Amino acid sequence: GYSKTKEDDLKGNDYASCLALLKALKLHTLGLELFRTTEQQHQILLDLGDTLLGANKAGEALSIYMIASPVDNTKVMAAARACWNWRVFFAHAFPSGIQTENDPDEIESSKRQMLARDIAEELESSGREKREVYAEAARVRLDYGFDVYEAVETLLRGQWW
């Protein structure tokens, strides 16, 4: 027959098994109380952020991602984009900072302008309330793409005049 060993008693009691259970039952707060190492807390916070983002709570997910150390720029950007927090989005997309339209680094400037244009186009085609979306798209074009002409055109398309 089968005799139970000490190892059998401990199966499922390791951190990975507990983390899977915490995720499945959405017991992140309890996990943060139980597991105190930086790496364990980081994993739990990132999973909590993922859970919140999946539940369409992008603002809350963004807050959680921002306190997870080290910060995962990709996750922060995803949450910031979902809740239209462009300041945070662009700060993490371009950690060296956002310069003016006279940016000496032309490659970074071009990347930023292309990203601002892509986001503005994505917003315009999102199907949300027209005036709000076009105003937001114009703001992105102006603040992060430094494109005054396109910002005004976007406002006109959104019937702001």
Side-chain angles (χ1 to χ4, degrees):
Y2 177 78
S3 69
K4 197 172 181 183
T5 66
K6 186 174 182 179
E7 288 80 27
D8 290 332
D9 284 339
L10 296 176
K11 279 186 181 171
N13 288 339
D14 63 323
Y15 172 71
S17 299
C18 290
L19 182 61
L21 191 58
L22 289 170
K23 289 178 180 183
L25 298 176
K26 296 181 175 66
L27 296 172
H28 299 93
T29 305
L30 179 61
L32 292 170
E33 291 174 19
L34 294 174
F35 299 103
R36 307 303 283 172
T37 71
T38 304
E39 179 58 33
Q40 291 169 335
Q41 295 228 331
H42 185 253
Q43 287 177 318
I44 293 167
L45 286 170
L46 291 182
D47 186 71
L48 174 58
D50 294 346
T51 300
L52 291 167
L53 193 57
N56 292 321
K57 296 180 178 180
E60 293 173 34
L62 178 57
S63 295
I64 296 297
Y65 290 143
M66 296 287 288
I67 63 170
S69 181
V71 172
D72 183 325
N73 282 334
T74 304
K75 289 182 181 286
V76 168
M77 288 170 55
R81 192 171 188 157
C83 68
W84 293 11
N85 189 327
W86 306 119
R87 183 184 54 78
V88 171
F89 177 84
F90 280 95
H92 285 268
F94 300 94
S96 60
I98 296 185
Q99 309 299 319
T100 65
E101 64 273 9
N102 300 320
D103 195 343
D105 186 350
E106 290 183 32
I107 293 172
E108 283 293 301
S109 180
S110 292
K111 285 180 183 177
R112 186 186 58 250
Q113 289 170 340
M114 288 179 1
L115 185 55
R117 184 175 46 249
D118 290 347
I119 287 172
E121 289 171 0
E122 182 182 308
L123 286 169
E124 289 177 42
S125 65
S126 71
R128 292 187 182 180
E129 200 274 314
K130 187 175 182 177
R131 285 177 57 97
E132 176 188 355
V133 166
Y134 279 81
E136 193 71 22
R139 189 89 249 164
V140 169
R141 289 182 192 277
L142 182 63
D143 291 349
Y144 303 102
F146 304 112
D147 192 338
V148 175
Y149 176 80
E150 278 299 317
V152 171
E153 286 289 317
T154 302
L155 290 172
L156 290 172
R157 282 194 303 278
Q159 300 173 352
W160 276 90
W161 281 290

